Amino acid sequence: MPANDSDKFQFQKARRMIQSASALWIGAGAGMGVDSGLPDFRGNEGFWNAYPPYRKLGYSFYDLANPRWFYEHPRQAWGFYGHRLNLYRQTVPHRGFEILRQWARRQRDDYFVFTSNVDGHFQKSGFCESRIVECHGCIHWFQCTDQSCSQVWSAPPEPISIDHETMLAEGELPRCRACRQIARPNILMFGDFQWIGGRTDAQERRMAQWLNSVDDGLVKLEFGAGTAVPTVRYMAERLPGRLIRINPRESHGVPGDGLAFDCGALEFIQRIDRSNG
């Protein structure tokens, strides 16, 4: 069979799987947001291309995504996370989110989203808040840096002012609404023992209850979940059901009778949506 015919057959097969599913589990890693124009932090070069000042400082994404900066240098911490918060608020999720939401709403047993992304773009695209697990937290929620204070609250709407030459936050930094200590995003960072994970715990309990109610027709769609931070990948492989893995670089390792596609999320979704079967 010619390569293009084989490719077409695989997309038709995936389309039939999705159409015949009783429910959809949607797993999303960092690759899900690339088609929206969000930066790809894969490797130091990708990170430094998005944040040139950090190249000069010699800081990697791993270095900066660490809670210690909120205690040692809070203006640097909020320079990094404040810029990301502003960016995620300004960015419009790509068309694939809306198409995916339409697919999910057609299923008899509905859907659930499990994402390692902290950008809140599934909610922004109209996905139901009660059907989303944000396994690493969400940048649109804040918590206190004081471990004796358990406050978690929705981020205020005001943008964080950033000096783009130094990447340091300017002006008044976010503070806890209860004790007035420096706030931080309610995100699970590297080496993070201060994260307050109660919001995510509640989301995971809701997903577990939903999974118990789903019959054997579950189909799992995994978008842009790599092996560097494999939380979404592991969850997709552990759950029952047939898996469709979409990843332009790391589509390997699909178990059983699942399918793999070496493409981006938006390309896959659009090709399935316009397919005539």
Side-chain angles (χ1 to χ4, degrees):
M1 181 181 294
N4 59 339
D5 289 344
S6 176
D7 182 62
K8 182 178 179 181
F9 174 77
Q10 287 295 95
F11 274 94
Q12 289 175 344
K13 188 175 180 180
R15 187 174 190 265
R16 287 193 294 270
M17 281 177 59
I18 294 167
Q19 287 180 327
S20 63
S22 65
L24 289 180
W25 181 89
I26 301 163
M32 185 67 182
V34 171
D35 292 312
S36 301
L38 295 177
D40 183 358
F41 293 159
R42 183 182 173 87
N44 285 339
E45 285 302 321
F47 176 66
W48 288 334
N49 286 337
Y51 293 100
Y54 292 133
R55 183 192 295 271
K56 298 177 183 178
L57 295 170
Y59 290 143
S60 67
F61 176 79
Y62 182 86
D63 294 328
L64 289 160
N66 189 302
R68 71 184 180 91
W69 295 111
F70 286 95
Y71 304 93
E72 298 175 13
H73 196 340
R75 290 201 178 276
Q76 178 166 283
W78 272 112
F80 177 57
Y81 279 103
H83 183 275
R84 291 178 68 191
L85 174 60
N86 296 344
L87 176 65
Y88 295 156
R89 282 174 167 171
Q90 295 162 5
T91 301
V92 177
H94 61 74
R95 169 65 177 154
F97 279 91
E98 172 57 25
I99 297 171
L100 195 58
R101 188 174 70 90
Q102 292 172 12
W103 294 355
R105 292 176 65 186
R106 296 177 191 146
Q107 309 309 314
R108 183 176 70 250
D109 291 329
D110 225 329
Y111 69 92
F112 229 96
V113 173
F114 184 93
T115 180
S116 59
N117 298 333
V118 300
D119 53 32
H121 278 192
F122 279 97
Q123 291 95 326
K124 197 172 185 178
S125 302
F127 284 80
C128 180
E129 173 76 34
S130 65
R131 291 194 172 273
I132 300 172
V133 174
E134 294 160 305
C135 62
H136 294 164
C138 181
I139 202 166
H140 301 288
W141 290 79
F142 289 176
Q143 68 172 74
C144 188
T145 53
D146 186 340
Q147 288 184 268
S148 67
C149 182
S150 59
Q151 288 287 309
V152 175
W153 64 97
S154 181
E158 295 79 18
I160 308 294
S161 180
I162 310 291
D163 182 327
H164 288 88
E165 293 296 321
T166 63
M167 289 303 294
L168 298 179
E170 300 178 313
E172 181 68 21
L173 297 179
R175 291 185 176 274
C176 177
R177 60 184 185 177
C179 69
R180 304 304 297 167
Q181 293 295 315
I182 292 292
R184 52 160 281 188
N186 184 228
I187 292 173
L188 178 61
M189 304 175 195
F190 295 112
D192 195 350
F193 296 99
Q194 289 83 42
W195 182 50
I196 301 173
R199 183 171 170 272
T200 293
D201 291 342
Q203 292 174 337
E204 291 180 339
R205 286 194 294 271
R206 288 196 292 270
M207 188 180 79
Q209 292 172 352
W210 173 77
L211 286 167
N212 286 334
S213 70
V214 174
D215 65 19
D216 294 335
L218 179 66
V219 169
K220 301 170 292 184
L221 298 172
E222 180 200 295
F223 295 100
T227 57
V229 182
T231 314
V232 174
R233 247 175 125 89
Y234 286 170
M235 180 62 74
E237 293 175 0
R238 184 169 64 84
L239 296 177
R242 299 179 70 186
L243 173 62
I244 302 174
R245 173 167 288 157
I246 302 98
N247 194 309
R249 300 187 186 99
E250 297 180 291
S251 63
H252 60 276
V254 179
D257 59 351
L259 299 174
F261 292 86
D262 299 320
C263 63
L266 181 58
E267 179 185 348
F268 174 85
I269 293 168
Q270 289 183 324
R271 286 193 64 175
I272 294 293
D273 197 57
R274 66 172 177 255
S275 169
N276 292 319

